[in-house]
Amino acid sequence: MDERTIKEIERRRTFAIISHPDAGKTTLTEKLLLYGGAIQSAGSVKGKQSDKHAVSDWMELEKQRGISVTSSVMQFRYNGYCINILDTPGHQDFSEDTYRTLMAADSAVMVIDAAKGIEPQTRKLFHVCAKRGIPIFTFINKMDREARDPFDLLDELEREFGIGTYPMNWPISCGVTFKGVFDRRARCIHTFDNFHGGRGKLNTIACDITETEKLDALIGENLREELCEQVELLDGASFDFDEEKIAKGKLSPVFFGSALNNFGVEDFLAAFLEMTSSPLSRKTIDDTEVTPFDEGFSAFVFKIQANMNKAHRDRIAFLRICSGKFERGEEYFHIQGKRPIKLSQPQQMMAQEREGVEEAFAGDIIGVFDPGIFSIGDTVCAKNRKVTYSGIPTFAPEHFAMVEQIDSMKRKQFAKGMDQIAKEGAIRMFFEPGAGMERVVVGVIGMLQYDVLKFRMESEYGVKYIQRELPFQYIQRIDNEDVDVAKLNLTSDTRVVVDVQGKYYLLFTGQWSIKWATDNNPGLVLVDFDHM
Ligand code: G4P
């Protein structure tokens, strides 16, 4: 591998940013982009009182609901690093999408609202994150507002997530009396100045914690005393800083700050870059490790997104490059398609802009035009060095609904829309054995996915349909070959469905019916949906 490629890979940092909606993920992303000079002014990503929306919010529905449904990728440079931020949908209903995105990241940043702490959504997202075993960095945001006790917040993180925390800095009060933070490594104070918010460096005063007089002048005697006490307590009682534990996702460095006020963001970025590694190795299906520096391009598809741009009606597959270098125009090999391909219209997101790319390196994410050949988890690699990455595990749907088309003139559009949206992994689609395409059973993890489906079917395919919720909660796949589903002895509230590939599944309303099915059908083998 040539030296330039090695250097390029070494300076890559690829991370996912996760949070409960409204914790400040968009604001933090915006500030990070500002530091990288990728955007010119605050508010370009999401403007206050304006109808500009986050660069990552592509869909109309997201704007209406104020949630980020889809996730996007942004690249920027800072201090010699080339940083890829993978945005994730904040809502737990899209946690599978978050999981796929995490598969493409080498670390995660979790944004938490200091007044709220861990919210249900964050909890689910975190568990998704922990499954990947990647380093997790925590940014406790909105310290300029009334916040919960910082010890409580850390305690909650440790208790709920079962990992250690290491506060990198410590807040001095909060809300109207927020004075700044104490940097535990540099042993100095960064004062909070409420009147910036622009792109430049913060106007902070550094002051050692032992400089009592200077400190008193800065933050007052009471806060100084409180701070000294707390820092002493922290130094004595909290986890030690341990880079190995951080790398394994067992210890989360925690930063307190205020994204909106640009406070603590640059320090966070600098510390984060220092503590995270360049792109990590990936495992193939036969358990061999491919390092980013292995000769030969390889990548996997972690996301497929249709119609990102209304003007283009396109479908884009997002690939995480795992090794080597991508070159435009080069012929590669699509493992699952079993054929050579040229990846057409390769592009990267630079803030608001989609830009064509000539080359990209391990660690990078590229979007390529997908003529309908890719599925999530597919591998694309060099023709002479074939590897196959392990697929991306799927989550079992938890809600089911019957979706039936209304207008028989639009059968084709209905089938096409459902099929494409299912291929993107945005829903799971099943059929009743023997039934046609005019009605399908749609499985989702969160109910909001139904809203997205309805919205997209109407706006992209011009199709309206009737939806009836079904009472099922569990799904199991029938693992037997040649099973005669008509002959199965099942409870009256169990239903058989089949997927596009002809695999049979049973839908159950309760655990009891699952037991009935296995007890009353000797030889029947049922497997969990998410272990396939
Ligand atoms: P999200 O992407 O995680 O959903 O959150 P987002 O950044 O959109 O932030 C949610 C709200 O919280 C926004 O206010 C944002 O301005 C505010 N916010 C973010 N960081 C801070 C902070 O450090 N301090 C304070 N006080 N507020 C913060 P909004 O009124 O909902 O939206 P907007 O009108 O500001 O766009």
Side-chain angles (χ1 to χ4, degrees):
M1 180 173 278
D2 62 276
E3 220 165 274
R4 182 175 155 260
T5 305
I6 294 175
K7 276 217 171 103
E8 285 294 343
I9 296 173
E10 276 172 347
R11 67 198 195 101
R12 260 115 184 118
R13 294 291 182 278
T14 303
F15 70 94
I17 183 158
I18 61 175
S19 81
H20 176 92
D22 254 13
K25 184 166 59 79
T26 313
T27 313
L28 182 64
T29 306
E30 175 184 271
K31 300 297 178 198
L32 294 174
L33 293 175
L34 268 172
Y35 280 119
I39 52 174
Q40 296 312 314
S41 61
S44 328
V45 177
K46 186 176 181 180
K48 234 186 164 38
Q49 307 299 326
S50 88
D51 59 2
K52 281 184 197 156
H53 281 269
V55 291
S56 51
D57 285 2
W58 273 310
M59 290 167 55
E60 203 63 32
L61 183 76
E62 295 178 329
K63 291 186 197 165
Q64 289 170 5
R65 291 218 161 202
I67 50 161
S68 182
V69 176
T70 53
S71 46
S72 67
V73 185
M74 284 157 282
Q75 188 181 70
F76 71 99
R77 277 153 223 273
Y78 173 82
N79 254 358
Y81 291 98
C82 178
I83 301 157
N84 296 302
I85 304 185
L86 306 179
D87 190 13
T88 60
H91 202 282
Q92 67 167 355
D93 284 11
F94 305 102
S95 53
E96 190 171 21
D97 201 45
T98 300
Y99 184 64
R100 291 186 200 123
T101 303
L102 282 165
M103 293 292 285
D106 298 313
S107 61
V109 170
M110 181 163 55
V111 186
I112 286 179
D113 184 332
K116 297 187 176 146
I118 299 169
E119 296 168 83
Q121 267 94 329
T122 338
R123 194 171 295 135
K124 189 156 181 180
L125 291 176
F126 178 87
H127 286 298
V128 158
C129 195
K131 257 190 177 171
R132 255 291 265 131
I134 53 173
I136 299 161
F137 295 78
T138 310
F139 189 88
I140 300 190
N141 191 29
K142 305 198 189 180
M143 289 307 297
D144 60 313
R145 292 241 184 105
E146 282 311 305
R148 283 176 47 191
D149 178 68
F151 282 110
D152 272 1
L153 287 168
L154 296 187
D155 202 46
E156 188 175 64
L157 280 169
E158 290 176 5
R159 216 181 38 241
E160 289 272 346
F161 298 156
I163 57 163
T165 57
Y166 185 88
M168 301 296 295
N169 60 21
W170 194 252
I172 305 164
S173 191
C174 64
V176 281
T177 55
F178 183 50
K179 297 288 183 207
V181 292
F182 171 65
D183 183 329
R184 289 183 71 203
R185 285 197 306 174
R187 310 299 289 180
C188 67
I189 306 277
H190 296 288
T191 52
F192 175 62
D193 169 8
N194 214 357
F195 302 102
H196 50 76
R199 62 181 297 195
K201 278 205 175 259
L202 274 186
N203 196 11
T204 54
I205 307 163
C207 168
D208 197 300
I209 196 163
T210 51
E211 294 176 59
T212 311
E213 270 174 36
K214 199 170 167 190
L215 259 183
D216 281 353
L218 274 176
I219 64 175
E221 200 182 325
N222 288 349
L223 286 179
R224 190 253 308 151
E225 277 177 7
E226 189 182 85
L227 175 71
C228 291
E229 231 170 69
Q230 292 182 335
V231 169
E232 204 175 305
L233 194 67
L234 269 185
D235 290 347
S238 75
F239 288 90
D240 289 333
F241 184 80
D242 181 336
E243 282 193 61
E244 210 181 301
K245 279 194 182 153
I246 294 172
K248 289 192 175 134
K250 301 271 180 247
L251 183 73
S252 178
V254 178
F255 302 78
F256 291 87
S258 166
L260 187 65
N261 293 287
N262 214 10
F263 185 77
V265 176
E266 193 168 21
D267 288 337
F268 161 73
L269 180 60
F272 170 80
L273 290 171
E274 189 194 312
M275 283 186 262
T276 47
S277 74
S278 53
L280 301 173
S281 300
R282 304 270 152 172
K283 284 221 165 110
T284 63
I285 41 169
D286 49 17
D287 222 28
T288 46
E289 245 182 41
V290 179
T291 85
F293 304 102
D294 280 5
E295 232 24 271
F297 165 82
S298 70
F300 67 87
V301 177
F302 69 96
K303 181 171 179 62
I304 296 170
Q305 176 83 48
N307 304 321
M308 272 171 27
N309 183 338
K310 269 204 163 157
H312 291 121
R313 290 260 141 198
D314 51 2
R315 185 177 157 102
I316 291 186
F318 286 93
L319 293 135
R320 149 84 195 211
I321 305 178
C322 302
S323 67
K325 174 182 169 185
F326 162 81
E327 280 171 284
R328 188 192 182 102
E330 189 73 23
E331 198 170 62
Y332 295 111
F333 196 82
H334 177 209
I335 295 285
Q336 285 71 15
K338 300 187 179 70
R339 65 171 73 133
I341 47 163
K342 273 197 182 158
L343 300 172
S344 63
Q345 300 166 27
Q347 52 193 269
Q348 277 177 331
M349 290 290 294
M350 304 287 284
Q352 287 99 323
E353 306 296 324
R354 281 206 245 169
E355 282 185 2
V357 284
E358 292 302 319
E359 56 175 21
F361 302 87
D364 282 342
I365 311 295
I366 51 168
V368 300
F369 172 73
D370 174 18
I373 57 168
F374 292 120
S375 293
I376 302 231
D378 281 8
T379 304
V380 177
C381 57
K383 284 194 295 185
N384 56 354
R385 291 178 88 92
K386 290 187 190 137
V387 294
T388 309
Y389 289 106
S390 337
I392 298 179
T394 50
F395 287 17
E398 291 168 23
H399 306 277
F400 299 87
M402 181 64 79
V403 168
E404 200 165 343
Q405 70 177 64
I406 304 170
D407 184 352
S408 58
M409 299 296 284
K410 294 205 165 160
R411 277 181 66 168
K412 263 195 182 156
Q413 288 94 318
F414 179 82
K416 186 173 172 208
M418 295 302 287
D419 180 58
Q420 286 207 349
I421 295 172
K423 264 196 184 146
E424 286 167 34
I427 53 155
R428 303 265 171 250
M429 179 171 64
F430 306 96
F431 309 92
E432 293 170 299
M437 251 313 281
E438 57 284 348
R439 49 189 248 163
V440 294
V441 173
V442 173
V444 295
I445 292 161
M447 300 296 279
L448 263 181
Q449 287 174 268
Y450 285 130
D451 294 6
V452 174
L453 177 68
K454 185 163 178 285
F455 181 88
R456 291 191 53 188
M457 286 296 280
E458 279 181 28
S459 65
E460 293 167 26
Y461 301 92
V463 176
K464 286 197 159 120
Y465 56 73
I466 301 171
Q467 178 177 324
R468 266 182 303 119
E469 277 175 41
L470 299 171
F472 308 110
Q473 288 181 42
Y474 303 98
I475 179 164
Q476 298 268 301
R477 183 166 63 82
I478 300 177
D479 204 30
N480 309 67
E481 300 274 321
D482 304 324
V483 66
D484 186 351
V485 287
K487 289 202 176 130
L488 289 175
N489 182 359
L490 302 166
T491 54
S492 59
D493 59 355
T494 300
R495 186 169 308 185
V496 182
V497 290
V498 60
D499 71 7
V500 240
Q501 292 162 349
K503 290 182 189 160
Y504 285 101
Y505 300 80
L506 294 179
L507 304 182
F508 301 98
T509 55
Q511 292 287 356
W512 183 81
S513 322
I514 304 180
K515 191 171 175 324
W516 170 279
T518 42
D519 286 354
N520 292 280
N521 297 281
L524 179 70
V525 182
L526 298 180
V527 287
D528 285 348
F529 188 91
D530 45 6
H531 292 125
M532 304 184 199

